[in-house]
Amino acid sequence: FDPRHYVGTHCYSWPKTGPHRLRFLLESVKDLRETLKKKGSTLVVRKGKPEDVVCDLITQLSSVTAVVFHEEVRKIL
């Protein structure tokens, strides 16, 4: 969870993630974790800036051979 997604927007300080969206995200992550667990896998969940968290995870896990990610597209007005 990137803390920057839970602060106000740049223009008007409106919340980027309201309580309903947050609840949906938390329930979705919980469901995904439970589904993966039933299949013998797991889900790593961290709070922090992805560029820091991913680097730390790679350092901790010696078996990482590839990292795949997507970047949020930002619309510039």
Side-chain angles (χ1 to χ4, degrees), residues 46 55-62:
R46 296 288 186 266
C55 184
D56 291 343
L57 283 172
I58 291 169
T59 302
Q60 292 172 15
L61 304 170
S62 60

Side-chain angles (χ1 to χ4, degrees), residues 35-51:
T35 300
L36 289 170
K37 188 174 182 180
K38 289 176 187 174
K39 296 182 181 287
S41 190
T42 189
L43 177 68
V44 176
V45 178
R46 296 288 186 266
K47 176 184 170 191
K49 293 180 180 179
E51 57 270 25

Side-chain angles (χ1 to χ4, degrees), residues 22-35:
L22 179 59
R23 183 179 308 120
F24 172 77
L25 289 170
L26 292 173
E27 289 172 358
S28 298
V29 169
K30 180 180 176 184
D31 183 64
L32 177 58
R33 176 178 268 157
E34 290 170 1
T35 300

